[in-house]
Amino acid sequence: MTETPLRLPTLADVRDAAALLEGRVIRTPCLPAPKLSALTGATVSVKYENLQVTNAFKERGAYVKLTALTAEERARGVIAMSAGNHAQAVAYHARGLGVPSTIVMPVTTPFVKIAATRGYGARVVLAGETVAEAQVEAGRIAADEGLVWVHPYDDFDVIRGQGTVALEMLADDPDLDTLVVPVGGGGLIAGMATAAKALKPGIRIVGVEAALYPALWAALRGEEPACGGNTLAEGIAVKAVGRLPLAVARTLVDDVVLVDEVHLERAVNAFLTLQKTMAEGAGAAGLAALLASPDRFAGRRVGLVLCGGNIDPRVLAGIMIRELARAEQIVAVRVTTPDRPGVLGEIATIIGALGGNILQVSHHRTFLSVPAKGTSVDISFETRDGAHAAEIVAALEARRFTVVRLPADEVLP
């Protein structure tokens, strides 16, 4: 049986989508980021899609798709599957258009995204550990209830809506020579590549995937992807890209970079501490690529898409603490001492006199490694940097305390 030819969007289709979106979604800023430029060695501009009402770019494709429905389809209602951002976008714009919506989300979706989706009036169904498993359940519900499918990425109207991001970026910064785009199912990169390559054929389009979910990277090489595991970038934890996005990527995407969890964490932290803006793991993937492979982007004018900012506050807090530990601004030591009055006060005085700030203290008297008349004390404290931490350790050792630095994973209070 011959497959139906794929209908791929063109620049004209993306421009038509931009006209539909005018006044319906926020035209987010694309601004220079000097601190990120200094950090990465590239000249970086950031497109702040985390400033949309639902804090992610997904509103663009969702609105364009919903406006393309017939009156009969709107009356039946729509269904979507998503790890969160597409869910919120569909729910938000469906409510505005008077269309009933059902959203199927993986059970692993952060609560902040589930609560927001329900807040926009959608019926939320939790099913499966991954987006792929949620899609199976969404397909079953759609068939049983006659709902209209709104796919998060493998859809002509969704893709052309997402492509408007590139139109705005190149309008604001025509000198960009590289766009670095997070990739899950591929809708964003397909739309952006369509628009950007038509406007500026020499521009480089670079996709970024979590190393645990290298779907596009593998597909472009004709390989089966090995996908699985928990990733900070759950929004792009997709095991297979869509047919339409893959067809676009084969001709218009220049490269795909895989990033590990450490670089994703560093990128989220950098957006918060340097740019004073919130990025979820998927939203920070572009910056993670620059941190992981700086030579690939050195000297280039790079546009990053901060595509989403819906991150669990507890996860964000954990990332900040972990980054402080990696930078040795929070350290932990195990000090073995005689078990006598005043010793703990002496240790605290040494640390405090040198400008360290004690966060946590834990005594251990029953460890077999500790002498019967001794005690072991674990102390976590704040420092300025690694050199400051070394100064404090040296001062403790000078007072004849036995000091052992604990690994970074034992630093966290």
Side-chain angles (χ1 to χ4, degrees), residues 94-135:
R95 182 178 66 178
L97 294 167
V99 179
S101 63
T102 297
I103 311 294
V104 183
M105 310 176 82
V107 296
T108 53
T109 302
F111 178 74
V112 64
K113 295 183 179 182
I114 297 171
T117 304
R118 286 183 173 141
Y120 292 128
R123 174 178 62 141
V124 174
V125 177
L126 301 179
E129 293 289 324
T130 66
V131 171
E133 292 174 3
Q135 181 174 350

Side-chain angles (χ1 to χ4, degrees), residues 276-303:
K276 311 306 179 187
T277 192
M278 289 180 65
E280 60 189 87
L287 178 56
L290 270 63
L291 296 174
S293 305
D295 292 346
R296 207 185 292 239
F297 303 100
R300 302 190 71 90
R301 299 187 63 88
V302 177

Side-chain angles (χ1 to χ4, degrees), residues 259-306:
V259 292
D260 60 25
E261 296 303 299
V262 170
H263 285 100
L264 287 167
E265 289 184 20
R266 286 186 60 200
V268 169
N269 185 70
F271 271 124
L272 185 63
T273 58
L274 299 180
Q275 297 305 111
K276 311 306 179 187
T277 192
M278 289 180 65
E280 60 189 87
L287 178 56
L290 270 63
L291 296 174
S293 305
D295 292 346
R296 207 185 292 239
F297 303 100
R300 302 190 71 90
R301 299 187 63 88
V302 177
L304 299 180
V305 187
L306 199 178

Side-chain angles (χ1 to χ4, degrees), residues 350-357 382-384 388 392:
I350 293 169
I351 294 173
L354 290 173
N357 182 40
E382 291 179 297
T383 70
R384 293 187 296 273
H388 186 207
I392 293 173

Side-chain angles (χ1 to χ4, degrees), residues 190-234:
M192 290 185 63
T194 296
K197 287 284 191 177
L199 291 170
K200 195 171 183 178
I203 197 167
R204 283 181 58 78
I205 307 295
V206 179
V208 186
E209 294 182 301
L212 293 172
Y213 290 85
L216 180 60
W217 183 90
L220 293 177
R221 288 161 175 77
E223 301 174 9
E224 283 295 319
C227 296
N230 291 322
T231 175
L232 178 62
E234 79 281 340

Side-chain angles (χ1 to χ4, degrees), residues 62-77:
Y63 184 82
V64 173
K65 175 62 177 179
L66 290 170
T67 57
L69 299 179
T70 65
E72 185 271 336
E73 288 172 328
R74 292 191 190 192
R76 282 159 51 196

Side-chain angles (χ1 to χ4, degrees), residues 115-165:
T117 304
R118 286 183 173 141
Y120 292 128
R123 174 178 62 141
V124 174
V125 177
L126 301 179
E129 293 289 324
T130 66
V131 171
E133 292 174 3
Q135 181 174 350
V136 173
E137 178 63 10
R140 185 193 67 76
I141 295 172
D144 288 350
E145 301 182 16
L147 304 179
V148 179
W149 184 256
V150 180
H151 200 282
Y153 49 84
D154 204 9
D155 182 275
F156 172 86
D157 290 308
V158 168
I159 290 171
R160 70 191 185 101
Q162 319 304 31
T164 60
V165 173

Side-chain angles (χ1 to χ4, degrees), residues 6-367:
L6 297 178
R7 183 189 178 195
L8 303 181
T10 64
L11 176 59
D13 294 319
V14 177
R15 283 177 165 155
D16 287 345
L20 287 172
L21 291 171
E22 190 171 351
R24 301 294 182 174
V25 302
I26 295 171
R27 193 193 188 287
T28 56
C30 183
L31 301 173
K35 292 180 180 179
L36 297 186
S37 299
L39 180 66
T40 63
T43 300
V44 177
S45 292
V46 177
K47 177 67 166 169
Y48 290 93
E49 283 295 286
N50 61 338
L51 298 180
Q52 296 291 352
V53 173
T54 61
N55 304 113
F57 77 99
K58 291 285 191 176
E59 287 188 34
R60 298 170 181 268
Y63 184 82
V64 173
K65 175 62 177 179
L66 290 170
T67 57
L69 299 179
T70 65
E72 185 271 336
E73 288 172 328
R74 292 191 190 192
R76 282 159 51 196
V78 298
I79 188 168
M81 60 85 181
S82 167
N85 290 336
H86 179 64
Q88 292 177 65
V90 171
Y92 173 67
H93 284 296
R95 182 178 66 178
L97 294 167
V99 179
S101 63
T102 297
I103 311 294
V104 183
M105 310 176 82
V107 296
T108 53
T109 302
F111 178 74
V112 64
K113 295 183 179 182
I114 297 171
T117 304
R118 286 183 173 141
Y120 292 128
R123 174 178 62 141
V124 174
V125 177
L126 301 179
E129 293 289 324
T130 66
V131 171
E133 292 174 3
Q135 181 174 350
V136 173
E137 178 63 10
R140 185 193 67 76
I141 295 172
D144 288 350
E145 301 182 16
L147 304 179
V148 179
W149 184 256
V150 180
H151 200 282
Y153 49 84
D154 204 9
D155 182 275
F156 172 86
D157 290 308
V158 168
I159 290 171
R160 70 191 185 101
Q162 319 304 31
T164 60
V165 173
L167 289 184
E168 294 174 11
M169 291 181 74
L170 290 175
D172 290 348
D173 194 346
D175 293 330
L176 291 173
D177 60 42
T178 305
L179 299 181
V180 183
V181 187
V183 178
L188 178 61
I189 197 169
M192 290 185 63
T194 296
K197 287 284 191 177
L199 291 170
K200 195 171 183 178
I203 197 167
R204 283 181 58 78
I205 307 295
V206 179
V208 186
E209 294 182 301
L212 293 172
Y213 290 85
L216 180 60
W217 183 90
L220 293 177
R221 288 161 175 77
E223 301 174 9
E224 283 295 319
C227 296
N230 291 322
T231 175
L232 178 62
E234 79 281 340
I236 55 173
V238 177
K239 293 184 177 181
V241 295
R243 291 178 64 222
L244 289 174
L246 181 56
V248 174
R250 289 193 191 281
T251 58
L252 299 182
V253 172
D254 297 287
D255 199 3
V256 178
V257 178
L258 304 181
V259 292
D260 60 25
E261 296 303 299
V262 170
H263 285 100
L264 287 167
E265 289 184 20
R266 286 186 60 200
V268 169
N269 185 70
F271 271 124
L272 185 63
T273 58
L274 299 180
Q275 297 305 111
K276 311 306 179 187
T277 192
M278 289 180 65
E280 60 189 87
L287 178 56
L290 270 63
L291 296 174
S293 305
D295 292 346
R296 207 185 292 239
F297 303 100
R300 302 190 71 90
R301 299 187 63 88
V302 177
L304 299 180
V305 187
L306 199 178
C307 59
N310 291 307
I311 187 169
D312 188 315
R314 291 172 299 176
V315 173
L316 183 60
I319 288 170
M320 294 179 68
I321 295 296
R322 289 160 68 90
E323 286 303 304
L324 289 172
R326 291 187 180 110
E328 295 186 87
Q329 291 177 283
I330 295 179
V331 300
V333 296
R334 178 164 293 161
V335 184
T336 302
T337 74
D339 189 8
R340 58 176 173 77
V343 171
L344 185 57
E346 184 179 354
I347 293 171
T349 298
I350 293 169
I351 294 173
L354 290 173
N357 182 40
I358 294 175
L359 300 174
Q360 183 169 293
V361 177
S362 178
H363 272 88
H364 307 286
R365 286 184 169 83
T366 58
F367 282 6

